[in-house]
């Protein structure tokens, strides 16, 4: 599918979230919808949790401190942000950056699934436990990080969340090491 066609479908999906009035309370407290960013033709999609303050202000996912760290890690494997697609489970910033509620994650899941159906990436990289457990509810991030998991026709790579890793030296190094395996994992799929 041509990039433009995929982009058109993603634009329509973004519009649909507004039309369907998904999570009106969250929407009311947020500046704007943060749908996703990057190349819809990429082999890799990164999925975080929910927008934070900077993301809410700019309308783009992972543009704050965690995003800068993600960009740095992408560079270490020869990729730029524009080469991959980045999104979150929940598309509005939760108040005071609280964890997204189960019902908020469920409400956005069909749209996230639809996004993945349009992009059809080879590899879905989940960032943090919320994102992992959306797709693979029985797995624990501390046990499966860095290990690709095939499930229902998709390959997932669970990674620690960059925001959590930023302030924890051990976890940070683990995330950097797991990240370094992405090119080989992609090659093997
Ligand atoms: N953390 C997330 O999970 N997503 C963002 O977009 C930013 C920080």
């Amino acid at each position: 599918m041509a990039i433009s066609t995929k982009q058109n479908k993603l634009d329509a999906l973004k519009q649909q979230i507004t039309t369907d009035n998904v999570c009106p309370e969250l929407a009311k407290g947020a500046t704007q919808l943060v749908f996703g960013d990057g190349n819809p033709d990429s082999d890799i999609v990164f999925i975080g949790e929910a927008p934070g303050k900077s993301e809410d202000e700019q309308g783009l996912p992972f543009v704050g401190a965690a995003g800068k760290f993600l960009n740095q890690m992408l560079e270490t494997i020869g990729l730029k942000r524009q080469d991959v697609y980045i999104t979150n489970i929940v598309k509005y910033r939760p108040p005071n950056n609280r964890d997204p509620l189960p019902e908020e994650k469920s409400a956005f899941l069909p749209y996230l699934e639809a996004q993945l159906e349009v992009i059809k990436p080879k590899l879905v990289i989940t960032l943090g436990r919320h994102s992992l457990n959306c797709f693979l509810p029985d797995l624990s991030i501390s046990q499966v990080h860095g290990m690709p998991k095939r499930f229902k026709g998709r390959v997932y790579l669970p990674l620690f969340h960059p925001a959590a890793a930023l302030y924890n030296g051990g976890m940070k190094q683990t995330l950097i090491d797991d990240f370094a395996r992405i090119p080989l994992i992609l090659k093997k799929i």
Side-chain angles (χ1 to χ4, degrees):
M1 200 185 294
I3 288 177
S4 59
T5 318
K6 282 190 178 187
Q7 191 59 59
N8 291 346
K9 289 191 174 188
L10 291 174
D11 291 346
L13 206 51
K14 180 177 177 182
Q15 181 55 48
Q16 196 63 42
I17 292 176
T18 313
T19 308
D20 293 347
N21 202 18
V22 180
C23 295
E25 285 304 314
L26 273 191
K28 223 185 284 171
T31 307
Q32 56 191 319
L33 178 67
V34 181
F35 182 71
D37 184 34
N39 179 2
D41 234 17
S42 177
D43 285 339
I44 311 175
V45 170
F46 287 88
I47 304 175
E49 217 169 284
K53 189 171 186 289
S54 309
E55 290 77 21
D56 177 66
E57 283 166 3
Q58 295 184 43
L60 295 168
F62 283 97
V63 289
K68 288 204 179 85
F69 182 35
L70 181 60
N71 292 348
Q72 283 169 10
M73 286 190 291
L74 281 169
E75 276 179 28
T76 66
I77 57 167
L79 290 175
K80 289 198 170 31
R81 207 185 146 84
Q82 307 89 271
D83 298 326
V84 300
Y85 191 86
I86 305 175
T87 188
N88 285 304
I89 314 166
V90 167
K91 315 292 199 212
Y92 293 116
R93 181 192 184 199
N96 304 314
N97 291 348
R98 65 154 166 75
D99 279 356
L101 303 173
E103 56 268 32
E104 291 164 350
K105 291 187 277 186
S106 313
F108 277 106
L109 192 55
Y111 301 91
L112 178 58
E113 283 287 353
Q115 259 176 313
L116 293 174
E117 276 309 301
V118 171
I119 300 169
K120 294 197 191 309
K122 276 190 180 167
L123 185 62
V124 174
I125 302 184
T126 59
L127 299 171
R129 69 185 165 91
H130 289 279
S131 179
L132 168 65
N133 293 145
C134 245
F135 299 100
L136 301 160
D138 299 331
L139 298 185
S140 151
I141 180 82
S142 55
Q143 284 169 7
V144 301
H145 66 86
M147 300 176 193
K149 299 282 169 194
R150 207 174 272 274
F151 185 64
K152 291 191 180 171
R154 271 198 205 126
V155 183
Y156 296 91
L157 178 66
L159 295 183
F160 284 129
H161 195 293
L166 258 185
Y167 306 104
N168 176 329
M171 197 191 282
K172 186 173 180 186
Q173 192 54 52
T174 303
L175 175 55
I176 290 169
D177 295 344
D178 287 348
F179 218 93
R181 300 185 55 234
I182 294 173
L184 187 60
I185 290 168
L186 210 49
K187 220 160 120 184
K188 283 190 177 166
I189 295 171

